[in-house]
């Protein structure tokens, strides 16, 4: 099956620092990647939709300057949490959709998630 | 607007019991997709099923079965003879125009605890 990886799986950082999370599609190309945030005991909330080579589309209420998303290639999207604060502590999950007309087209595959703790 | 409601926040059953997880959705689109995912304590989402709005046939996969009823906008999930390994949070999700990049809208999740 299609594999999506995230790195790191777990990160602890000090307040005020920036953290970068990588999302990679390992065996297929993904034109679109999605970034979700999940608080403990809560549902997944879509933060933004990332399309390769263009600017990400953020959901209402998500600060684009706070959560920088870059989708530079068909296999990699990154989420950078800038000047992180304790309230940014959460579980971040990415998903990737295959390129239409190719393998894994229109299927969405999820990464294993990254647990961010900001002290 | 699209919305998914999972009214059961937590369910606790004893092993071998059958359990049904409810899912009710709202959408104005005539073409949409419904999903169920399992999230074990490790956090990784496990895909269980995808169903499009034109296919109301019920599906069975081993101990899992799904009942899709457009008339009541429901897509319920039943686990037969539950096992401890079924303990997890289960999410129902909806996507309109999925094949055109439609995003997933998740329900609140139901935490299932299966006790030995």
């Amino acid at each position: 099956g299609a594999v999506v990886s995230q790195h790191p799986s777990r990160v602890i950082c000090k307040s005020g620092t920036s953290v970068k999370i990588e999302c990679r599609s390992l065996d297929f190309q993904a034109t679109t990647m999605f970034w979700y945030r999940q608080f403990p005991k809560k549902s997944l909330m879509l933060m933004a939709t990332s399309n390769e080579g263009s600017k990400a589309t953020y959901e209402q209420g998500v600060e684009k300057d706070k959560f920088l998303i870059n989708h530079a290639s068909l296999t990699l999207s990154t989420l950078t949490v800038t000047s992180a604060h304790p309230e940014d502590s959460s579980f971040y999950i990415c998903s990737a959709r295959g390129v239409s007309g190719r393998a894994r087209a229109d299927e969405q595959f999820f990464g294993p998630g990254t647990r961010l703790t900001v002290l | 607007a699209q919305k998914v409601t999972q009214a059961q926040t937590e369910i606790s059953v004893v092993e071998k019991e059958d359990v049904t997880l409810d899912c009710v959705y709202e959408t104005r689109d005539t073409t949409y997709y419904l999903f169920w995912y399992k999230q074990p304590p490790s956090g990784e989402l496990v895909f269980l099923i995808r169903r499009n709005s034109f296919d109301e046939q019920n599906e069975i996969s081993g101990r899992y079965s799904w009942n899709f009823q457009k008339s009541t906008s429901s897509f319920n999930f039943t686990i037969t003879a539950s096992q401890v390994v079924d303990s997890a949070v289960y999410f129902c999700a909806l996507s309109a125009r999925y094949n055109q990049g439609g995003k997933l809208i998740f329900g609140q999740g139901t935490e299932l605890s299966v006790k030995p």
Side-chain angles (χ1 to χ4, degrees), chain B residues 87-99:
Chain B
S87 297
V89 180
Y90 291 85
F91 290 98
C92 180
L94 164 73
S95 180
R97 297 181 293 280
Y98 181 73
N99 288 345

Side-chain angles (χ1 to χ4, degrees), chain A residues 34 36 38 41-44 46 49 59 91 93 97 100 106-108 110-112, chain B residues 10 37 39 42-45 50 91 98-104 106-108 111:
Chain A
F34 300 89
Y36 296 84
Q38 186 180 29
K41 301 267 187 187
K42 296 292 184 183
S43 186
L44 282 78
L46 180 65
T49 303
E59 295 298 302
F91 191 54
I93 305 174
R97 287 176 61 95
S100 289
D106 304 320
E107 293 288 338
Q108 190 170 145
F110 284 85
Chain B
E10 296 178 11
Y37 289 90
Q39 188 178 41
S42 63
E44 185 161 0
L45 282 176
R50 180 179 78 172
F91 290 98
Y98 181 73
N99 288 345
Q100 288 79 45
K103 55 194 179 188
L104 286 170
F106 285 85
Q108 302 90 323
E111 184 171 6

Side-chain angles (χ1 to χ4, degrees), chain A residues 36-106:
Chain A
Y36 296 84
R37 181 175 182 177
Q38 186 180 29
F39 289 106
K41 301 267 187 187
K42 296 292 184 183
S43 186
L44 282 78
M45 300 301 296
L46 180 65
M47 298 174 67
T49 303
S50 161
N51 289 299
E52 186 264 340
S54 62
K55 289 184 179 180
T57 301
Y58 289 82
E59 295 298 302
Q60 195 171 11
V62 177
E63 300 176 59
K64 61 179 71 173
D65 295 330
K66 173 76 170 173
F67 300 99
L68 300 178
I69 292 172
N70 183 280
H71 192 162
S73 77
L74 286 173
T75 58
L76 173 65
S77 176
T78 61
L79 167 68
T80 301
V81 183
T82 62
S83 187
H85 290 285
E87 58 265 29
D88 298 323
S89 298
S90 192
F91 191 54
Y92 293 88
I93 305 174
C94 74
S95 69
R97 287 176 61 95
V99 177
S100 289
R102 299 188 189 176
R104 314 300 179 197
D106 304 320

Side-chain angles (χ1 to χ4, degrees), chain B residues 17-28:
Chain B
E17 283 185 21
D18 298 346
V19 58
T20 296
L21 282 61
D22 297 333
C23 173
V24 175
Y25 63 92
E26 296 175 30
T27 181
R28 292 188 190 136

Side-chain angles (χ1 to χ4, degrees), chain A residues 10-14 17 19 115-119:
Chain A
R10 189 181 291 267
V11 58
I12 301 173
C13 68
K14 291 183 179 179
T17 60
V19 175
R115 193 165 301 281
L116 170 64
T117 302
V118 184
L119 303 176

